[in-house]
Amino acid sequence: MDKPRQERLGQLLLENNLLTSEELDEALKEQVGSGKSLGRVLVEKKLLTEGQLTSILAEQIGMKYVDLNSYPIDPSAAGMVDAEIAKRHTLIPINMEDGKLVVAMADPTNVYAIDDLRIMTGMDVTLVVSAREDIEAAIGRYLHEAVEVGEVLEGMEELEELVEEEEAVEAGEEAPIVKYVNLVIEEAVGEGASDIHIEPGERDVRIRYRIDGVLHEIRRSPRRIHPGMVSRVKILANMNIAERRVPQDGRFAMRIGDKAIDFRVASIPTVYGEKLVLRLLDRASMLMSLEDLGVETLPLKKLSDAFHKPYGTVIVSGPTGSGKTTTLYAILSELNRREVNTITVEDPVEYQLRGVNQVQVNTKVGLTFASALRSILRCDPDVVMVGEIRDPESAKMAIESALTGHMVLCTLHTNDAPSAMTRMTEMGVEPFLIASAVDCVVSQRLARRLCGRCKEKAEYEPAYLEKIGFPVEDTMTIYKAKEGGCPFCNGMGYRGRIGLFEVMSIDEEIEKLVVDRATGHEIGRLAISKGMSTLREDGYVKVKSGITSIEEVLRVVM
């Protein structure tokens, strides 16, 4: 950039109050020494964002700037260009106005790219300017170079007729439907999804990803590709592709990039065909410490004291998808020592821990939780992990195991920690056995983390904070998710998740309530009086730390 343009850029930045004169002078000195453009120096020094710089440069050349983070991109317009061309020239069509294609570009002076666009689309082009990183994020979201739906439709008639596994396998890895399923899977892994939902409708197939606990519709595909998608996934998961009338389960593993991902597949027949749900299990994400999961210092000490005892029971409770298994694996990792015999019974084994003997439930041959647990107790265990207590028999055996000198780790589906005690009673276990065996109950939820790059300060009315029981402090700063997010969080305002925990230690007074068959509410009231932080209170601690938002805590906690 020549000197007059540098000076003009600096003047515009000052006029828009984006820089102080001192910051500009310092940047100009560094720019002369480095040979870089003034804009690049300002971005590297974090005095400007890419978006702010692009906005000012657009003003310099008299063009309109569009912030793609908040602009509603028209998918049909975006699909008019090839992904390879879009990446090569860093551009993406975003709309159609007055018969012209509106295209966002990082470099609107690239006449070759503009000519390519006109030839490819056969339309006149209206150019706008957007930040390079925003365009790249939009290309990743709206354009997919691996395969186009049109390719999948070619040859779909013969694929739809495949009902035998051997015939479907012969379609080969290069078949369009195989490429399309691989694209869906790879995209889900790239987005950090925990589940993929493939849902047939009357006229189309809806594909949704669960990202950070929330379902997002990614695309709708032609109805004709559904049978091929189902057959492909069933083959991967070693399921019966000829059976479409009953639910099925399966699993498979794939390496996507540098990640080893396990997939659990469930199919269920609906009125429009089989719905598939693929749960993604990233093996690396299972190896987290309790501190990394978000357990605060005092609850962590209570939990650690409980599971380091030579015998007793630690129960982890919460709804499906709340991270219970990850918490159990974190505890197992701490207990996993050479001198300790640890045996687990799981359905399924979600991650293989070195040094731990893991048993996979197989109901088809009679290997249930209860029968496996019965056999495990004859194998001289020190630590026993029961993946999930589902029936009275396994509940009784788990409690009796703790009373006979074993440390038992297990999960239950309850809404809070106190309810776990009453749930065990409802399953037929004697209250005095529960009171004697259980040392600690953990209830948990997963809340989305605020995006560290775009979170905003939030202001709330004191009456509202008082209504929701939020403890107000004078020097407190509360953050919220930015509407529309940023490219780093894919426009969500959140990226990643953090655990909210409720840890209840069982002492003599709580034991007495359990023996007297007190309600969960009564047990909870006593536990709170003894210092237990509820799920909501733990969430508020993380709000004060700037990790999550009030809205997110209220979303996941009653």
PDB file of all heavy atoms in Angstrom, residues 298-299 302 503 525-534 537:
ATOM      1  N   LEU A 298     -14.419 -26.995  46.274  1.00  0.00           N
ATOM      2  CA  LEU A 298     -15.031 -27.636  47.437  1.00  0.00           C
ATOM      3  C   LEU A 298     -15.808 -28.901  47.058  1.00  0.00           C
ATOM      4  O   LEU A 298     -15.612 -29.962  47.671  1.00  0.00           O
ATOM      5  CB  LEU A 298     -15.940 -26.641  48.179  1.00  0.00           C
ATOM      6  CG  LEU A 298     -16.581 -27.147  49.473  1.00  0.00           C
ATOM      7  CD1 LEU A 298     -15.507 -27.606  50.454  1.00  0.00           C
ATOM      8  CD2 LEU A 298     -17.450 -26.049  50.109  1.00  0.00           C
ATOM      9  N   PRO A 299     -16.693 -28.862  46.039  1.00  0.00           N
ATOM     10  CA  PRO A 299     -17.358 -30.107  45.615  1.00  0.00           C
ATOM     11  C   PRO A 299     -16.365 -31.174  45.164  1.00  0.00           C
ATOM     12  O   PRO A 299     -16.579 -32.363  45.399  1.00  0.00           O
ATOM     13  CB  PRO A 299     -18.250 -29.662  44.449  1.00  0.00           C
ATOM     14  CG  PRO A 299     -18.465 -28.210  44.662  1.00  0.00           C
ATOM     15  CD  PRO A 299     -17.202 -27.715  45.279  1.00  0.00           C
ATOM     16  N   LYS A 302     -15.066 -33.044  48.178  1.00  0.00           N
ATOM     17  CA  LYS A 302     -16.074 -33.988  48.693  1.00  0.00           C
ATOM     18  C   LYS A 302     -16.128 -35.243  47.829  1.00  0.00           C
ATOM     19  O   LYS A 302     -16.152 -36.370  48.338  1.00  0.00           O
ATOM     20  CB  LYS A 302     -17.459 -33.321  48.705  1.00  0.00           C
ATOM     21  CG  LYS A 302     -17.614 -32.191  49.712  1.00  0.00           C
ATOM     22  CD  LYS A 302     -19.033 -31.624  49.609  1.00  0.00           C
ATOM     23  CE  LYS A 302     -19.231 -30.458  50.572  1.00  0.00           C
ATOM     24  NZ  LYS A 302     -20.596 -29.883  50.451  1.00  0.00           N
ATOM     25  N   VAL A 503     -22.933 -31.785  44.155  1.00  0.00           N
ATOM     26  CA  VAL A 503     -22.281 -32.895  44.854  1.00  0.00           C
ATOM     27  C   VAL A 503     -22.830 -32.990  46.269  1.00  0.00           C
ATOM     28  O   VAL A 503     -22.690 -32.059  47.068  1.00  0.00           O
ATOM     29  CB  VAL A 503     -20.748 -32.703  44.877  1.00  0.00           C
ATOM     30  CG1 VAL A 503     -20.086 -33.859  45.636  1.00  0.00           C
ATOM     31  CG2 VAL A 503     -20.195 -32.608  43.460  1.00  0.00           C
ATOM     32  N   ARG A 525     -33.241 -30.322  50.969  1.00  0.00           N
ATOM     33  CA  ARG A 525     -33.266 -29.165  51.864  1.00  0.00           C
ATOM     34  C   ARG A 525     -32.201 -29.295  52.959  1.00  0.00           C
ATOM     35  O   ARG A 525     -31.510 -28.332  53.283  1.00  0.00           O
ATOM     36  CB  ARG A 525     -34.657 -29.032  52.473  1.00  0.00           C
ATOM     37  CG  ARG A 525     -34.917 -27.698  53.167  1.00  0.00           C
ATOM     38  CD  ARG A 525     -36.406 -27.494  53.373  1.00  0.00           C
ATOM     39  NE  ARG A 525     -37.038 -28.670  53.986  1.00  0.00           N
ATOM     40  CZ  ARG A 525     -38.342 -28.888  54.000  1.00  0.00           C
ATOM     41  NH1 ARG A 525     -39.161 -28.035  53.403  1.00  0.00           N
ATOM     42  NH2 ARG A 525     -38.843 -29.966  54.571  1.00  0.00           N
ATOM     43  N   LEU A 526     -32.054 -30.527  53.518  1.00  0.00           N
ATOM     44  CA  LEU A 526     -31.033 -30.747  54.545  1.00  0.00           C
ATOM     45  C   LEU A 526     -29.629 -30.623  53.946  1.00  0.00           C
ATOM     46  O   LEU A 526     -28.737 -30.010  54.563  1.00  0.00           O
ATOM     47  CB  LEU A 526     -31.223 -32.133  55.170  1.00  0.00           C
ATOM     48  CG  LEU A 526     -30.176 -32.553  56.223  1.00  0.00           C
ATOM     49  CD1 LEU A 526     -30.180 -31.568  57.396  1.00  0.00           C
ATOM     50  CD2 LEU A 526     -30.433 -33.974  56.705  1.00  0.00           C
ATOM     51  N   ALA A 527     -29.425 -31.173  52.756  1.00  0.00           N
ATOM     52  CA  ALA A 527     -28.101 -31.111  52.120  1.00  0.00           C
ATOM     53  C   ALA A 527     -27.694 -29.672  51.827  1.00  0.00           C
ATOM     54  O   ALA A 527     -26.528 -29.291  52.026  1.00  0.00           O
ATOM     55  CB  ALA A 527     -28.109 -31.934  50.829  1.00  0.00           C
ATOM     56  N   ILE A 528     -28.651 -28.850  51.397  1.00  0.00           N
ATOM     57  CA  ILE A 528     -28.358 -27.433  51.121  1.00  0.00           C
ATOM     58  C   ILE A 528     -27.985 -26.712  52.406  1.00  0.00           C
ATOM     59  O   ILE A 528     -27.053 -25.888  52.446  1.00  0.00           O
ATOM     60  CB  ILE A 528     -29.564 -26.767  50.433  1.00  0.00           C
ATOM     61  CG1 ILE A 528     -29.728 -27.310  49.008  1.00  0.00           C
ATOM     62  CG2 ILE A 528     -29.400 -25.246  50.398  1.00  0.00           C
ATOM     63  CD1 ILE A 528     -31.030 -26.907  48.335  1.00  0.00           C
ATOM     64  N   SER A 529     -28.676 -27.031  53.491  1.00  0.00           N
ATOM     65  CA  SER A 529     -28.357 -26.396  54.781  1.00  0.00           C
ATOM     66  C   SER A 529     -26.962 -26.784  55.258  1.00  0.00           C
ATOM     67  O   SER A 529     -26.350 -26.073  56.063  1.00  0.00           O
ATOM     68  CB  SER A 529     -29.403 -26.786  55.833  1.00  0.00           C
ATOM     69  OG  SER A 529     -29.262 -28.155  56.210  1.00  0.00           O
ATOM     70  N   LYS A 530     -26.448 -27.901  54.757  1.00  0.00           N
ATOM     71  CA  LYS A 530     -25.110 -28.357  55.128  1.00  0.00           C
ATOM     72  C   LYS A 530     -24.045 -27.899  54.133  1.00  0.00           C
ATOM     73  O   LYS A 530     -22.899 -28.362  54.182  1.00  0.00           O
ATOM     74  CB  LYS A 530     -25.101 -29.886  55.241  1.00  0.00           C
ATOM     75  CG  LYS A 530     -25.869 -30.411  56.458  1.00  0.00           C
ATOM     76  CD  LYS A 530     -25.857 -31.921  56.493  1.00  0.00           C
ATOM     77  CE  LYS A 530     -26.382 -32.415  57.832  1.00  0.00           C
ATOM     78  NZ  LYS A 530     -25.471 -32.096  58.938  1.00  0.00           N
ATOM     79  N   GLY A 531     -24.433 -27.036  53.206  1.00  0.00           N
ATOM     80  CA  GLY A 531     -23.446 -26.438  52.311  1.00  0.00           C
ATOM     81  C   GLY A 531     -23.413 -26.950  50.890  1.00  0.00           C
ATOM     82  O   GLY A 531     -22.534 -26.571  50.112  1.00  0.00           O
ATOM     83  N   MET A 532     -24.361 -27.804  50.512  1.00  0.00           N
ATOM     84  CA  MET A 532     -24.367 -28.287  49.129  1.00  0.00           C
ATOM     85  C   MET A 532     -24.808 -27.179  48.173  1.00  0.00           C
ATOM     86  O   MET A 532     -25.823 -26.514  48.401  1.00  0.00           O
ATOM     87  CB  MET A 532     -25.321 -29.477  48.987  1.00  0.00           C
ATOM     88  CG  MET A 532     -25.372 -30.041  47.564  1.00  0.00           C
ATOM     89  SD  MET A 532     -26.609 -31.344  47.327  1.00  0.00           S
ATOM     90  CE  MET A 532     -28.112 -30.356  47.160  1.00  0.00           C
ATOM     91  N   SER A 533     -24.039 -26.974  47.119  1.00  0.00           N
ATOM     92  CA  SER A 533     -24.421 -26.032  46.064  1.00  0.00           C
ATOM     93  C   SER A 533     -25.306 -26.745  45.059  1.00  0.00           C
ATOM     94  O   SER A 533     -24.959 -27.832  44.579  1.00  0.00           O
ATOM     95  CB  SER A 533     -23.181 -25.478  45.352  1.00  0.00           C
ATOM     96  OG  SER A 533     -22.414 -24.683  46.214  1.00  0.00           O
ATOM     97  N   THR A 534     -26.442 -26.147  44.732  1.00  0.00           N
ATOM     98  CA  THR A 534     -27.332 -26.760  43.748  1.00  0.00           C
ATOM     99  C   THR A 534     -26.775 -26.565  42.345  1.00  0.00           C
ATOM    100  O   THR A 534     -25.814 -25.811  42.130  1.00  0.00           O
ATOM    101  CB  THR A 534     -28.735 -26.137  43.817  1.00  0.00           C
ATOM    102  OG1 THR A 534     -28.632 -24.746  43.449  1.00  0.00           O
ATOM    103  CG2 THR A 534     -29.321 -26.250  45.221  1.00  0.00           C
ATOM    104  N   GLU A 537     -26.919 -22.917  41.408  1.00  0.00           N
ATOM    105  CA  GLU A 537     -25.909 -22.116  42.102  1.00  0.00           C
ATOM    106  C   GLU A 537     -24.521 -22.345  41.501  1.00  0.00           C
ATOM    107  O   GLU A 537     -23.739 -21.409  41.348  1.00  0.00           O
ATOM    108  CB  GLU A 537     -25.901 -22.457  43.597  1.00  0.00           C
ATOM    109  CG  GLU A 537     -27.116 -21.927  44.343  1.00  0.00           C
ATOM    110  CD  GLU A 537     -27.249 -22.486  45.746  1.00  0.00           C
ATOM    111  OE1 GLU A 537     -26.571 -23.492  46.070  1.00  0.00           O
ATOM    112  OE2 GLU A 537     -28.039 -21.919  46.535  1.00  0.00           O
TER     113      GLU A 537
END
